[in-house]
Amino acid sequence: MFVEKTDPQIARLIKKETKRHQETLNLIASENYPSKAVREALSSIFVAKYAEGRPYKRYYGGQEFIDKLEVLVEERVRKVFKLNPKKWTVNVQPYSGSPANYAVLRGLLKTGDKILSLPLSHGGHLTHGAPVSLSGQDFKVVNYFLNKEGFLDYGEIEKLAKKEKPKLIICGFSAYPRKIDFKKFSQIAKKVGAYLLTDTSHITGLIIGKVHPTPFPWADVVMTTTHKTLRGPRGAIIICKKELEEKIFKKVFPGLQGGPHEHTICAIGVALKEAMSAQFKKYASQIIKNAKILAEELEKYGFNLISGGTDNHLLLVDLTNKNITGKEAQILLEKAGIVTNKNTIPYDPRPAFDPSGIRLGTPAVTTRGMKEKEMKKIAFWINEVISNPKSIPKIKQEVKKLCKKFPIP
Ligand code: DSN
């Protein structure tokens, strides 16, 4: 590493973070390991360029290859989702999911307009109208909720939509372990004259791999981050119906952002090409197989899963019957080299900083090549750590040993 010579202090931190990843199991549902090719593209010379504006309509000189790059990446987005360019338009410039969602909301709505969304505490996202987020402060937010079994209840959502008449409905979640019926959401939105924004950040890789239903043609706008199951760099994409382009893209730039991060866009392009491969389809399907087996095994150990299992890449575990909180479990598991995040469960009686659950996801361990056999081991270790914390030092060694066999790309 060049940085070792120029900046040993930062180099040490990079090394330590690398080692941490190498020696631990990353079960954070929103994280993943991009390929070396993606990371190389991310550190390419495209980092050096300002490119405010849309392709071929820029404010600075020197755009010959930037324009070609951005148009190519937009084309790949349309190709991967098989989108008709006459109907759908793509913007790969958003810095990440949160500003992208905000740009969509500010583009389609007036301040004070009504949004209907799932709250953070039930698995929604901060930027879907949480009171502490600008999305919750600029708009009036009404929430739908999961039912007591932990599922979306489309009948209830429709009733609420008819009563509240929102201008925009958001679906697509951060901690929902089941498939989303985008068609139903679209029917509800149409009935009340609302826009439908689908935030597919968590499941875009599964959609491309054809193991989760697609939001096309049901959504008016699809927003996705690029670094979760899609396995690209940290960034975001907005895809919207042609007629909404003017409203939304102006909010991305100049509304909210300055120069797009072209090195990120370059790496998104590389990730999209990878996602079109047969190998990626296998990867997406293995993510789900792994999540399902992890769920089954944990259930055997008496863990309660919200909704009783999973159809996607994540599990939400209610730890109430294990007499441990989400925060305590997260800390204990991390000591054993198993990295997770504490998470509220629907109708959680506990506060968000120490909720009743943990969220577990399989995208990152699946990228490392782990399969059903390893998931069984992981479930065993999770149970051991939580039921017998004295076993932590021993399990930490076992986790390390397993991790060695499955290097990070
Ligand atoms: N909501 C975060 C997560 O799913 O981890 C990402 O913003």
Side-chain angles (χ1 to χ4, degrees):
M1 283 199 302
F2 291 110
V3 70
E4 269 175 321
K5 289 204 184 88
T6 62
D7 190 339
Q9 203 179 1
I10 295 277
R12 259 197 307 279
L13 289 174
I14 296 174
K15 276 194 168 165
K16 282 190 171 163
E17 178 65 353
T18 307
K19 191 165 181 284
R20 183 187 73 80
H21 277 291
Q22 279 165 345
E23 295 183 351
T24 59
L25 293 164
N26 183 354
L27 295 183
I28 294 186
S30 50
E31 294 181 7
N32 210 337
Y33 298 113
S35 68
K36 283 213 168 70
V38 167
R39 282 153 60 191
E40 188 177 277
L42 189 61
S43 63
S44 69
I45 192 65
F46 281 112
V47 73
K49 194 74 198 99
Y50 259 115
E52 274 114 328
R54 297 279 295 150
Y56 299 103
K57 289 179 211 149
R58 310 278 189 182
Y59 290 84
Y60 293 66
Q63 306 292 345
E64 189 181 351
F65 303 110
I66 289 276
D67 283 336
K68 286 195 171 78
L69 170 76
E70 213 175 304
V71 166
L72 174 65
V73 178
E74 288 178 4
E75 273 168 18
R76 284 187 182 176
V77 174
R78 280 191 287 266
K79 194 167 168 200
V80 84
F81 292 112
K82 300 190 174 45
L83 301 177
N84 179 347
K86 288 198 182 109
K87 290 194 175 150
W88 297 95
T89 184
V90 176
N91 190 321
V92 291
Q93 296 187 351
Y95 296 149
S96 209
S98 299
N101 274 338
Y102 193 60
V104 174
L105 297 179
R106 290 297 300 246
L108 295 182
L109 306 177
K110 292 196 294 293
T111 313
D113 278 353
K114 203 181 271 181
I115 300 173
L116 180 63
S117 65
L118 189 74
L120 189 57
S121 61
H122 276 226
H125 193 254
L126 195 66
T127 58
H128 297 181
V132 289
S133 149
L134 289 181
S135 62
Q137 293 166 14
D138 291 358
F139 307 103
K140 184 166 173 10
V141 182
V142 177
N143 287 134
Y144 56 90
F145 297 93
L146 300 183
N147 64 19
K148 294 280 179 193
E149 288 72 46
F151 287 84
L152 290 164
D153 182 336
Y154 295 92
E156 284 301 314
I157 297 168
E158 180 168 342
K159 266 194 225 158
L160 194 61
K162 282 181 172 159
K163 181 171 160 247
E164 295 287 346
K165 303 211 169 22
K167 287 264 167 60
L168 182 140
I169 299 176
I170 309 179
C171 69
F173 314 106
S174 294
Y176 184 61
R178 295 297 180 175
K179 288 202 169 97
I180 303 165
D181 191 333
F182 295 116
K183 186 178 175 184
K184 275 196 184 144
F185 268 107
S186 158
Q187 286 165 341
I188 296 168
K190 283 214 166 68
K191 278 183 193 165
V192 301
Y195 291 115
L196 179 64
L197 163 62
T198 67
D199 177 346
T200 61
S201 297
H202 266 256
I203 53 173
T204 291
L206 306 181
I207 293 165
I208 292 172
K210 296 204 167 15
V211 288
H212 188 288
T214 170
F216 300 104
W218 311 114
D220 296 295
V221 187
V222 176
M223 194 297 294
T224 178
T225 54
T226 47
H227 46 279
K228 297 184 174 98
T229 47
L230 177 54
R231 219 161 51 175
R234 306 189 83 88
I237 303 171
I238 297 172
I239 307 162
C240 66
K241 288 187 173 158
K242 243 331 206 233
E243 60 271 25
L244 304 177
E245 166 175 1
E246 186 75 4
K247 290 180 177 183
I248 296 173
F249 292 3
K250 272 197 175 146
K251 295 296 180 191
V252 175
F253 171 84
L256 203 54
Q257 299 188 174
H261 296 173
E262 293 293 341
H263 57 304
T264 304
I265 292 171
C266 176
I268 290 173
V270 175
L272 286 166
K273 173 131 197 240
E274 288 177 0
M276 289 177 213
S277 67
Q279 238 172 326
F280 189 86
K281 197 169 179 335
K282 267 197 196 155
Y283 164 64
S285 116
Q286 190 65 45
I287 290 177
I288 296 188
K289 282 185 198 159
N290 282 353
K292 280 188 185 292
I293 192 92
L294 187 60
E296 273 169 36
E297 292 293 310
L298 287 173
E299 282 191 315
K300 284 186 200 161
Y301 292 117
F303 284 92
N304 284 330
L305 304 183
I306 299 299
S307 83
T310 181
D311 301 326
N312 60 21
H313 63 300
L314 70 84
L315 289 59
L316 191 55
V317 189
D318 174 2
L319 294 165
T320 312
N321 67 333
K322 297 284 180 186
N323 296 317
I324 188 169
T325 70
K327 183 177 167 186
E328 289 163 351
Q330 180 192 310
I331 292 169
L332 286 183
L333 287 166
E334 189 159 350
K335 282 185 182 158
I338 301 172
V339 184
T340 65
N341 66 274
K342 59 182 180 282
N343 216 101
T344 52
I345 55 167
Y347 307 98
D348 203 326
R350 301 189 56 83
F353 57 84
D354 191 8
S356 301
I358 48 169
R359 184 183 66 162
L360 307 174
T362 55
V365 287
T366 308
T367 291
R368 292 179 84 159
M370 294 186 194
K371 294 200 167 130
E372 286 86 339
K373 190 173 146 214
E374 289 72 37
M375 296 307 117
K376 287 185 183 176
K377 267 193 186 161
I378 292 173
F380 171 77
W381 288 329
I382 290 174
N383 182 51
E384 278 291 295
V385 168
I386 286 174
S387 52
N388 174 25
K390 282 199 187 120
S391 63
I392 287 174
K394 185 171 152 266
I395 290 172
K396 189 177 178 178
Q397 288 317 309
E398 290 173 9
V399 165
K400 225 169 157 178
K401 225 166 116 192
L402 180 76
C403 286
K404 244 194 167 154
K405 285 204 248 163
F406 294 91
I408 285 160

